[in-house]
Amino acid sequence: MRQFGIIGRPLGHSASAAYFTAKFADEKLVGHAYAQYELNSIDDFPELLRLHPDLCGVNVTIPYKQAVIPLLDRLSFEAQNIGAVNCIRRMPDGTLVGHNTDIIGLRSAFDELLQGDEPEEALVLGTGGASQAVQYALAERSITYSLVSRDAAKGNYTYDNLPCEVVERSLLIINATPVGTFPAVYEVPRIPYAYLTPRHYLLDLVYNPPLTRFLDYGQQRGAHIQNGETMFRAQAVASWRIWNE
């Protein structure tokens, strides 16, 4: 049996299990299974591995993309530079290797959303593990960015002191937080949406629901919008490739 799974908390929004279960059925991969492992603490991860010796590939989601790193034996080049892990391969000798496939998904998402346009300035909502990959992807494109955080020590701005003119000139805005994720679909990042224009691009890393309030508000202002579906699928393909190298 080859077992795979995802760790995080909560996991009710995740489509990973459905995606890989369908993949195993479509490709007639007998002896393959994918499960959700909702851990109360990242400290529970070693015990999960002990209880599931056939678990050879793990996806990692909020809130453990950074917290899991000390429990791994080594990191890929990009995971080390990004400072976050969302994919782990358990080698035959038990070694745990951390990778970041979010960056692969983000490259695809940016290509699809921007269609060759390159905004000079971006605004990133959130400073967690997903935000780390967003920042890396923006740096690759030489796009200047500012960070918005609930914690004044982690971002350039907090949601309470974000200037309207920053939103107005930041033509690319990325929601790298879980705000608006199912089941809390009525929640939305607190930014001044009245300053969005048809020149703006909004990317929400959330894919469930497909149209978050963040994207809906942008759409109402004429902005170009995209949810996290493209990113999700591209990073899932990359995870599968890593687990089978």
Side-chain angles (χ1 to χ4, degrees), residues 61-111:
T61 190
I62 293 171
Y64 300 136
K65 292 185 179 184
Q66 294 167 303
V68 76
I69 290 178
L71 302 179
L72 306 179
D73 297 294
R74 65 178 189 271
L75 303 179
S76 70
F77 174 80
E78 287 186 329
Q80 184 170 357
N81 281 281
I82 292 170
V85 164
N86 75 312
C87 174
I88 300 169
R89 183 180 181 186
R90 190 186 205 178
M91 306 298 287
D93 63 359
T95 300
L96 301 177
V97 184
H99 297 262
N100 191 298
T101 62
D102 278 344
I103 184 60
I104 295 171
L106 281 164
R107 289 169 185 149
S108 297
F110 281 145
D111 286 345

Side-chain angles (χ1 to χ4, degrees), residues 1 3 5 19 36 59 68 119 129 204 224 232 237:
M1 171 68 75
Q3 290 187 331
Y19 173 89
Q36 295 186 159
N59 289 126
V68 76
D204 200 332
H224 308 270
F232 166 75
V237 169

